[in-house]
Amino acid sequence: PMTHDTRLWPAGYAFSTAADLARFAIAFLGNGQIDGNRALHADTPRAMLLPHADLPNLFDGGRYGYATFQFTARGQRVAEHAGSMIGFAALVRTVPTEQFGVIVLSNAETPAVKTADAAMEAFLPVTAPTPFTADGEPLVMDDREMEAIAGRYENRWRFTLSMEKGTLVMRQDDGPPLAVSKVGANRYVAVGNGTRPPLRFLVSPAASGRPAYLHFSLWAFRKIS
């Protein structure tokens, strides 16, 4: 049976329900307490909500705490964690300043975020949706800059940046070429044909004793060549 196929089990093999995850969210937002009892050490929620690392290419003002992705959405500061695989999705979203939480479990990927957004609209004062601010107007790149970041970057996948006919092009593994535009300091957007969403990434240049890295989503890809 599918439930016994470990390839489809969740991260850490942790199974739960919307009701149990809601109780966790209540304890998380209540300094570790629920129903008058301590469920989490008081320091645990505080540590989870401290920003520990930047996530500049994933969210606007994105930071990572312990097991929480923190960013501003619709004027509210969100702390959430989500996960998905083909056919399944889970999302725990909180807005600590508003004592708000929403749990979404879904048998499809996209509705999880849409449902959480709708819940925020229903219960919280929110601002109008805004575009991802990292996508500024394209900036001019000269040949020297393109040559400096061109190369192969490897981690979970392989990204290749190359100069073709005077423009910078990205390929993910053996995928189609994507035209790259610079939109900020070390910030780039790769766009292809069709409905494929843009790939937003950063490149950290090589420094003394340190190789260059391409940062995409949650991973850093080391420059190999």
Side-chain angles (χ1 to χ4, degrees):
M2 184 173 64
T3 53
H4 298 306
D5 186 343
T6 57
R7 294 174 301 168
L8 300 176
W9 285 12
Y13 300 161
F15 290 87
S16 189
T17 66
D20 281 348
L21 286 171
R23 288 179 61 79
F24 166 78
I26 292 169
F28 175 67
L29 295 170
N31 293 318
Q33 291 192 328
I34 183 171
D35 298 335
N37 299 310
R38 179 155 297 286
L40 301 170
H41 193 286
D43 288 339
T44 299
R46 287 196 289 267
M48 292 173 69
L49 287 171
L50 286 175
H52 297 289
D54 291 330
L55 293 173
N57 64 314
L58 198 58
F59 302 107
D60 273 339
R63 305 294 294 276
Y64 183 71
Y66 293 140
T68 62
F69 298 92
Q70 304 166 17
F71 56 96
T72 299
R74 307 289 298 274
Q76 298 286 355
R77 193 65 182 171
V78 166
E80 72 173 31
H81 201 293
S84 65
M85 60 179 65
I86 297 174
F88 302 92
L91 173 64
V92 179
R93 177 178 291 183
T94 66
V95 180
T97 57
E98 299 286 340
Q99 290 289 289
F100 169 87
V102 56
I103 312 300
V104 186
L105 303 180
S106 173
N107 62 351
E109 295 180 27
T110 303
V113 173
K114 289 185 176 180
T115 300
D117 290 345
M120 288 182 63
E121 291 177 354
F123 291 99
L124 299 179
V126 295
T127 59
T130 56
F132 194 81
T133 57
D135 293 351
E137 291 296 323
L139 304 175
V140 175
M141 287 189 288
D142 58 28
D143 289 353
R144 182 178 179 182
E145 180 177 2
M146 289 188 282
E147 290 171 355
I149 66 172
R152 190 173 80 250
Y153 299 78
E154 294 186 357
N155 187 334
R156 186 176 183 178
W157 309 290
R158 181 179 72 252
F159 286 107
T160 304
L161 294 173
S162 59
M163 287 183 61
E164 299 182 15
K165 298 180 180 179
T167 62
L168 192 63
V169 171
M170 167 184 272
R171 286 181 172 82
Q172 182 178 346
D173 292 329
D174 296 320
L178 307 175
V180 175
S181 298
K182 183 179 181 181
V183 294
N186 300 324
R187 304 175 74 99
Y188 305 87
V189 176
V191 179
N193 296 323
T195 59
R196 179 173 179 165
L199 298 183
R200 301 178 177 92
F201 63 97
L202 284 79
V203 175
S204 298
S208 177
R210 188 187 70 186
Y213 286 89
L214 184 152
H215 300 273
F216 170 73
S217 187
L218 301 178
W219 297 279
F221 295 75
R222 183 175 177 174
K223 188 173 185 179
I224 303 301
S225 64

